[in-house]
Amino acid sequence: MQLETRNIGFRYPKGPWVFQGVDLVIKPGEIVGLIGPSGCGKSTLGRILAGYEIPNEGNIIIQDSLQSVSHSSSVQLVFQHPEKAVNPRWKMEDILNEGWHPDDKLLSSLGIEKEWLHRWPHELSGGELQRFCIARSLGPNTRFLIADEMTTMLDAITQAQIMHAVLKIAQKRELGMLIISHEWHLIQRLCNRVVQWDPKKLNFYETGFTKAYEQFA
Ligand SMILES: Nc1ncnc2c1ncn2[C@@H]1O[C@H](COP(=O)(O)OP(=O)(O)OP(=O)(O)O)[C@@H](O)[C@H]1O
């Protein structure tokens, strides 16, 4: 089972091509980094992979079934703005348990305190809220996790703790991950492979292998 894009191209309505001809493969258990300058289309690609946008050209292939539209709960996206990903009218307990019921072990590995479950989203910091979004994304159906600047709002120590917890889960469950980040050091340290923006071709290309993330886990 792998997550694959074949020759995908995307443009927003009336806009220019953001990218074209993107071929990307994420295998189970593989941690792939995606880097590139602001505005090159990293988040757009992440949203396409998670099924929130439909490519104008090409296909997304998940689990060996050819789909012109990528939409599957097996691909989960956690992005930079957790406040936009939760219902402000729901208490954290309901938000957390909407799709599945994360156990205490997972909550504690992500540093989620029990007392937070009884709060409203606006009563948590961005980083605290993000831990809930991460826990929510790791349901039993998840096979691939797209982490779009997932830990950007956290301090370096908390960022390392959370990434460590997520990577351990990814390793144990053989989840494939795409880590989108501007932080080259983070990408270099965590990823098996790195994919980078090619401005001439409006495309992404492999930069080669980095250190295996086991060193970090
Ligand atoms: N809803 C939208 N409608 C029109 N254009 C959009 C929309 N969202 C993004 N864009 C444009 O598409 C391009 C790619 O945006 P995207 O957010 O994918 O880039 P990015 O590489 O993730 O940037 P950053 O690193 O700053 O987060 C940008 O030029 C952006 O202005």
Side-chain angles (χ1 to χ4, degrees):
M1 182 194 306
Q2 63 183 25
L3 173 60
E4 183 177 356
T5 72
R6 275 199 203 152
N7 205 26
I8 62 167
F10 184 86
R11 62 199 305 176
Y12 287 98
K14 295 183 186 158
W17 287 103
V18 179
F19 47 71
Q20 279 192 284
V22 175
D23 294 318
L24 179 70
V25 175
I26 306 174
K27 297 197 169 116
E30 196 175 43
I31 313 294
V32 180
L34 182 65
I35 56 171
S38 182
C40 75
K42 304 180 296 297
S43 296
T44 302
L45 184 58
R47 285 204 302 275
I48 290 174
L49 289 170
Y52 292 107
E53 303 278 2
I54 300 167
N56 302 81
E57 308 178 325
N59 295 297
I60 309 290
I61 298 152
I62 308 167
Q63 291 183 327
D64 303 327
S65 63
L66 192 63
Q67 304 176 334
S68 57
V69 179
S70 157
H71 195 169
S72 163
S73 64
S74 62
V75 187
Q76 290 289 320
L77 171 69
V78 179
F79 65 107
Q80 197 177 355
H81 302 288
E83 69 285 353
K84 292 184 188 164
V86 299
N87 186 334
R89 296 199 185 90
W90 286 15
K91 287 244 174 145
M92 293 317 302
E93 189 164 24
D94 299 321
I95 290 169
L96 184 67
N97 292 309
E98 189 185 359
W100 74 296
H101 300 283
D103 60 20
D104 286 353
K105 198 172 155 213
L106 178 69
L107 298 189
S108 110
S109 74
L110 293 172
I112 294 175
E113 292 178 20
K114 282 268 171 71
E115 185 260 321
W116 297 349
L117 294 169
H118 308 296
R119 296 197 199 171
W120 300 99
H122 73 267
E123 294 172 334
L124 292 172
S125 75
E128 290 164 354
L129 199 54
Q130 188 68 310
R131 297 165 205 235
F132 280 89
C133 293
I134 296 169
R136 193 176 59 170
S137 74
L138 292 169
N141 294 333
T142 302
R143 306 303 313 146
F144 300 96
L145 183 67
I146 315 297
D148 185 357
E149 301 283 0
M150 184 173 81
T151 54
T152 299
M153 77 290 288
L154 302 168
D155 63 78
I157 292 171
T158 315
Q159 186 178 59
Q161 279 168 351
I162 302 246
M163 284 312 279
H164 181 89
V166 172
L167 288 172
K168 262 179 96 169
I169 293 162
Q171 200 171 27
K172 193 168 159 203
R173 289 176 42 186
E174 285 230 293
L175 303 183
M177 272 186 80
L178 183 70
I179 299 182
I180 302 172
S181 178
H182 287 285
E183 295 177 56
W184 175 239
H185 293 302
L186 181 87
I187 294 270
Q188 254 190 330
R189 205 157 34 117
L190 305 186
C191 299
N192 307 122
R193 289 194 289 127
V194 178
V195 173
Q196 186 170 332
W197 173 243
D198 180 343
K200 288 196 194 112
K201 293 186 180 156
L202 294 187
N203 201 332
F204 294 93
Y205 68 97
E206 290 260 347
T207 59
F209 288 79
T210 66
K211 291 176 193 168
Y213 73 89
E214 280 85 2
Q215 289 185 3
F216 182 75

